[in-house]
Amino acid sequence: MTRLTWKLTVLPSLIATTLIGTTLIPAKPAAADQNIIRDTATGAGTGVVSGAITGTCSTGRNAVNGAAAGAAVNLANRSRITRGRRRNLAQDIGVGAAASTVSGIITNCKNPVKNAINGAATGAVIHIINKNR
């Protein structure tokens, strides 16, 4: 076998086999909180409504920013719940505001103050929905 044949036929096959073996075979489902989808969807809806009120960006960008805030609030409360501690309104508002502000930078929403307000609203709504959990 010549070097050119080796490089053109055997080497790509080895690379493809290695790639498939290392990425697809050991894959397992993610272990997520059962409420992550609910909080993300609630965040997206709240982001759309509060974005329309504050006049921030497009509906799609507001939904993405709200979903990011909802997911962040869920993640921030995961450790609190497992330790038996109650949710904290100030924490939920702060985490939602921070996540929406960062997400607003990524989605190119150029008003960080309004993004923070929308994220804070998302954190407050999720806190109210999950208050007893």
Side-chain angles (χ1 to χ4, degrees), residues 60-113:
R61 289 179 182 173
N62 288 331
V64 169
N65 294 347
V73 169
N74 180 280
L75 181 65
N77 280 299
R78 187 176 301 168
S79 65
R80 283 178 107 29
I81 293 170
T82 57
R83 292 182 189 154
R85 295 170 59 191
R86 301 194 81 165
R87 298 180 75 93
N88 184 338
L89 177 62
Q91 175 188 338
D92 289 349
I93 289 173
V95 168
S100 186
T101 301
V102 171
S103 179
I105 293 169
I106 294 168
T107 59
N108 204 20
C109 283
K110 298 186 190 253
N111 194 330
V113 174

Coordinates of all heavy atoms in Angstrom, one line a residue, residues 60-113:
G60 N -38.8 37.1 19.6 CA -38.0 35.9 19.7 C -36.8 36.1 20.7 O -36.5 35.2 21.4
R61 N -36.2 37.2 20.6 CA -35.1 37.5 21.5 C -35.5 37.6 22.9 O -34.8 37.2 23.8 CB -34.3 38.8 21.0 CG -33.6 38.6 19.8 CD -32.9 39.9 19.4 NE -32.2 39.7 18.1 CZ -31.6 40.7 17.5 NH1 -31.7 42.0 17.9 NH2 -31.0 40.5 16.3
N62 N -36.7 38.2 23.1 CA -37.2 38.3 24.5 C -37.5 36.9 25.0 O -37.3 36.6 26.2 CB -38.5 39.2 24.5 CG -38.2 40.6 24.3 OD1 -37.1 41.1 24.7 ND2 -39.1 41.3 23.8
A63 N -38.0 36.0 24.2 CA -38.3 34.6 24.6 C -37.0 33.9 25.0 O -36.9 33.2 26.0 CB -39.0 33.9 23.5
V64 N -36.0 34.1 24.2 CA -34.7 33.5 24.5 C -34.1 34.0 25.8 O -33.6 33.2 26.6 CB -33.7 33.7 23.3 CG1 -32.3 33.3 23.7 CG2 -34.1 32.9 22.1
N65 N -34.1 35.3 26.0 CA -33.6 35.9 27.2 C -34.4 35.4 28.4 O -33.8 35.1 29.5 CB -33.6 37.4 27.1 CG -32.7 37.9 26.1 OD1 -31.8 37.2 25.6 ND2 -32.8 39.2 25.7
G66 N -35.7 35.3 28.3 CA -36.6 34.9 29.4 C -36.3 33.4 29.7 O -36.3 33.0 30.9
A67 N -36.1 32.6 28.6 CA -35.9 31.2 28.8 C -34.5 31.0 29.6 O -34.4 30.1 30.4 CB -35.8 30.4 27.5
A68 N -33.5 31.8 29.2 CA -32.2 31.7 29.9 C -32.4 32.1 31.3 O -31.8 31.4 32.2 CB -31.2 32.6 29.2
A69 N -33.2 33.1 31.6 CA -33.4 33.5 33.0 C -34.1 32.4 33.8 O -33.8 32.1 34.9 CB -34.2 34.8 33.1
G70 N -35.1 31.8 33.2 CA -35.9 30.7 33.8 C -35.0 29.5 34.1 O -35.0 28.9 35.2
A71 N -34.1 29.1 33.2 CA -33.2 28.0 33.4 C -32.2 28.4 34.5 O -31.9 27.5 35.3 CB -32.5 27.7 32.1
A72 N -31.7 29.6 34.5 CA -30.8 30.0 35.6 C -31.4 30.0 37.0 O -30.8 29.6 37.9 CB -30.2 31.4 35.2
V73 N -32.6 30.5 37.1 CA -33.3 30.4 38.4 C -33.5 29.0 38.8 O -33.3 28.7 40.0 CB -34.7 31.2 38.3 CG1 -35.5 31.0 39.5 CG2 -34.4 32.7 38.0
N74 N -33.9 28.1 37.9 CA -34.1 26.7 38.2 C -32.8 26.1 38.8 O -32.7 25.5 39.8 CB -34.6 25.9 37.0 CG -34.7 24.5 37.3 OD1 -33.8 23.7 37.3 ND2 -36.0 24.1 37.6
L75 N -31.7 26.4 38.1 CA -30.4 25.9 38.5 C -29.9 26.5 39.8 O -29.4 25.7 40.7 CB -29.3 26.2 37.4 CG -27.9 25.8 37.7 CD1 -27.9 24.2 37.7 CD2 -27.0 26.3 36.6
A76 N -30.2 27.7 40.1 CA -29.8 28.3 41.3 C -30.6 27.7 42.5 O -30.0 27.7 43.6 CB -30.0 29.8 41.3
N77 N -31.8 27.3 42.3 CA -32.6 26.7 43.4 C -32.4 25.2 43.5 O -32.9 24.7 44.5 CB -34.1 27.1 43.1 CG -34.4 28.5 43.6 OD1 -34.2 28.8 44.7 ND2 -34.8 29.3 42.6
R78 N -31.7 24.6 42.6 CA -31.6 23.1 42.7 C -30.9 22.7 44.0 O -31.3 21.8 44.7 CB -30.9 22.6 41.5 CG -30.8 21.1 41.5 CD -30.2 20.6 40.3 NE -30.9 21.0 39.1 CZ -30.5 20.9 37.9 NH1 -29.3 20.3 37.7 NH2 -31.2 21.3 36.9
S79 N -29.8 23.4 44.4 CA -29.0 23.1 45.6 C -29.8 23.5 46.8 O -29.7 22.8 47.9 CB -27.7 23.7 45.5 OG -27.8 25.1 45.6
R80 N -30.6 24.5 46.8 CA -31.3 25.0 47.9 C -32.4 23.9 48.3 O -32.6 23.6 49.5 CB -32.0 26.3 47.6 CG -31.2 27.5 47.7 CD -32.0 28.7 47.3 NE -32.3 29.7 48.4 CZ -31.7 30.0 49.5 NH1 -30.7 29.4 49.8 NH2 -32.2 30.9 50.3
I81 N -33.0 23.4 47.3 CA -34.1 22.5 47.6 C -33.6 21.2 48.1 O -34.2 20.6 49.0 CB -34.9 22.2 46.3 CG1 -35.7 23.5 45.9 CG2 -36.0 21.1 46.4 CD1 -36.3 23.5 44.5
T82 N -32.5 20.7 47.6 CA -31.9 19.4 48.1 C -31.4 19.5 49.5 O -31.3 18.6 50.2 CB -30.8 18.9 47.2 OG1 -29.8 19.9 47.1 CG2 -31.3 18.6 45.8
R83 N -31.1 20.7 50.0 CA -30.7 20.9 51.4 C -31.8 21.3 52.3 O -31.6 21.6 53.5 CB -29.6 22.1 51.4 CG -28.3 21.7 50.7 CD -27.4 22.8 50.9 NE -26.2 22.6 50.0 CZ -25.4 23.5 49.5 NH1 -25.7 24.8 49.8 NH2 -24.4 23.2 48.8
G84 N -33.0 21.3 51.8 CA -34.2 21.5 52.6 C -34.4 23.0 52.9 O -35.2 23.3 53.8
R85 N -33.8 23.9 52.2 CA -34.0 25.3 52.4 C -35.0 25.9 51.5 O -35.2 25.4 50.4 CB -32.7 26.1 52.2 CG -31.6 25.6 53.2 CD -30.2 26.1 52.9 NE -30.2 27.6 52.8 CZ -29.1 28.2 52.3 NH1 -28.1 27.6 51.9 NH2 -29.1 29.5 52.3
R86 N -35.7 26.9 51.9 CA -36.8 27.5 51.1 C -36.2 28.4 50.0 O -35.1 28.9 50.1 CB -37.7 28.3 52.0 CG -38.4 27.4 53.1 CD -39.5 28.0 53.7 NE -40.6 27.9 52.8 CZ -41.8 28.1 53.1 NH1 -42.1 28.5 54.3 NH2 -42.8 27.9 52.2
R87 N -37.0 28.7 49.0 CA -36.6 29.6 47.9 C -36.5 31.0 48.5 O -37.2 31.4 49.4 CB -37.7 29.5 46.8 CG -37.8 28.2 46.2 CD -38.9 28.2 45.1 NE -38.4 28.8 43.9 CZ -37.8 28.2 42.9 NH1 -37.7 26.9 43.0 NH2 -37.4 28.8 41.9
N88 N -35.7 31.8 47.8 CA -35.4 33.1 48.2 C -35.8 34.1 47.1 O -35.3 34.0 46.0 CB -34.0 33.3 48.6 CG -33.6 34.6 49.1 OD1 -34.3 35.6 48.9 ND2 -32.5 34.7 49.8
L89 N -36.8 35.0 47.3 CA -37.3 35.9 46.3 C -36.2 36.8 45.8 O -36.0 36.9 44.6 CB -38.4 36.8 46.8 CG -39.0 37.8 45.9 CD1 -39.6 37.1 44.6 CD2 -40.0 38.7 46.6
A90 N -35.4 37.3 46.6 CA -34.3 38.2 46.2 C -33.3 37.5 45.3 O -32.8 38.0 44.3 CB -33.6 38.8 47.4
Q91 N -33.0 36.2 45.7 CA -32.1 35.4 44.9 C -32.7 35.1 43.5 O -32.0 35.3 42.5 CB -31.7 34.1 45.6 CG -30.9 33.2 44.7 CD -30.7 31.8 45.3 OE1 -30.9 31.6 46.5 NE2 -30.4 30.8 44.5
D92 N -33.9 34.8 43.4 CA -34.6 34.5 42.2 C -34.6 35.7 41.3 O -34.3 35.6 40.1 CB -36.0 33.9 42.4 CG -36.0 32.5 43.0 OD1 -34.9 31.9 43.0 OD2 -37.1 32.1 43.4
I93 N -34.9 36.9 41.8 CA -34.9 38.1 41.0 C -33.5 38.4 40.5 O -33.3 38.8 39.4 CB -35.5 39.2 41.9 CG1 -37.0 39.0 42.0 CG2 -35.3 40.6 41.2 CD1 -37.7 40.0 43.0
G94 N -32.5 38.3 41.4 CA -31.2 38.6 41.1 C -30.6 37.7 40.0 O -29.9 38.1 39.0
V95 N -30.8 36.4 40.2 CA -30.3 35.4 39.2 C -31.0 35.7 37.8 O -30.4 35.6 36.8 CB -30.5 34.0 39.7 CG1 -30.3 33.0 38.6 CG2 -29.6 33.8 40.9
G96 N -32.3 35.9 37.9 CA -33.0 36.1 36.6 C -32.5 37.4 35.9 O -32.4 37.4 34.7
A97 N -32.3 38.4 36.7 CA -31.8 39.7 36.1 C -30.4 39.5 35.5 O -30.2 39.9 34.3 CB -31.8 40.8 37.1
A98 N -29.6 38.8 36.2 CA -28.2 38.6 35.7 C -28.2 37.7 34.4 O -27.5 38.0 33.5 CB -27.3 38.0 36.8
A99 N -29.0 36.6 34.5 CA -29.0 35.7 33.3 C -29.6 36.4 32.1 O -29.1 36.2 31.0 CB -29.8 34.5 33.7
S100 N -30.6 37.2 32.3 CA -31.2 37.9 31.1 C -30.3 39.0 30.6 O -30.3 39.2 29.4 CB -32.6 38.5 31.5 OG -33.2 39.0 30.4
T101 N -29.6 39.6 31.4 CA -28.6 40.6 31.0 C -27.5 40.0 30.1 O -27.2 40.5 29.1 CB -28.0 41.4 32.2 OG1 -29.0 42.0 32.9 CG2 -27.0 42.4 31.7
V102 N -26.9 38.9 30.6 CA -25.9 38.2 29.8 C -26.5 37.6 28.5 O -25.9 37.8 27.5 CB -25.3 37.1 30.7 CG1 -24.4 36.2 29.9 CG2 -24.5 37.6 31.9
S103 N -27.7 37.1 28.6 CA -28.3 36.5 27.4 C -28.6 37.7 26.4 O -28.5 37.5 25.2 CB -29.6 35.8 27.8 OG -30.2 35.3 26.6
G104 N -29.0 38.8 26.9 CA -29.2 40.0 26.1 C -28.0 40.4 25.3 O -28.1 40.9 24.2
I105 N -26.8 40.3 25.9 CA -25.6 40.6 25.2 C -25.3 39.6 24.1 O -25.0 40.0 23.0 CB -24.4 40.6 26.2 CG1 -24.5 41.8 27.2 CG2 -23.1 40.7 25.5 CD1 -23.6 41.7 28.4
I106 N -25.6 38.4 24.4 CA -25.4 37.3 23.4 C -26.4 37.5 22.2 O -26.0 37.3 21.0 CB -25.5 35.9 24.0 CG1 -24.3 35.7 25.0 CG2 -25.5 34.8 22.9 CD1 -24.5 34.5 25.9
T107 N -27.7 37.8 22.5 CA -28.7 37.9 21.5 C -28.7 39.3 20.8 O -29.6 39.6 20.0 CB -30.1 37.6 22.0 OG1 -30.4 38.5 23.1 CG2 -30.2 36.1 22.5
N108 N -27.8 40.2 21.3 CA -27.7 41.5 20.7 C -28.9 42.4 21.0 O -29.2 43.3 20.2 CB -27.5 41.4 19.2 CG -26.7 42.7 18.7 OD1 -26.1 43.4 19.4 ND2 -26.9 42.9 17.4
C109 N -29.4 42.3 22.2 CA -30.4 43.2 22.7 C -29.6 44.3 23.4 O -29.0 44.0 24.4 CB -31.4 42.6 23.7 SG -32.6 41.6 22.9
K110 N -29.6 45.5 22.9 CA -28.7 46.5 23.3 C -29.1 47.3 24.5 O -28.5 48.4 24.8 CB -28.4 47.4 22.1 CG -27.8 46.6 21.0 CD -27.4 47.5 19.9 CE -27.0 46.7 18.7 NZ -25.7 46.6 18.3
N111 N -30.1 46.9 25.3 CA -30.4 47.7 26.5 C -30.3 46.8 27.7 O -31.3 46.1 28.1 CB -31.9 48.2 26.3 CG -32.2 49.3 27.3 OD1 -31.7 49.3 28.4 ND2 -33.0 50.2 26.9
P112 N -29.2 46.8 28.4 CA -29.0 45.9 29.5 C -29.9 46.2 30.7 O -30.3 45.3 31.4 CB -27.5 46.1 29.9 CG -27.1 47.3 29.2 CD -28.0 47.6 28.1
V113 N -30.3 47.4 30.9 CA -31.2 47.8 32.0 C -32.6 47.1 31.8 O -33.2 46.5 32.7 CB -31.4 49.3 32.2 CG1 -32.4 49.6 33.2 CG2 -30.0 49.9 32.5

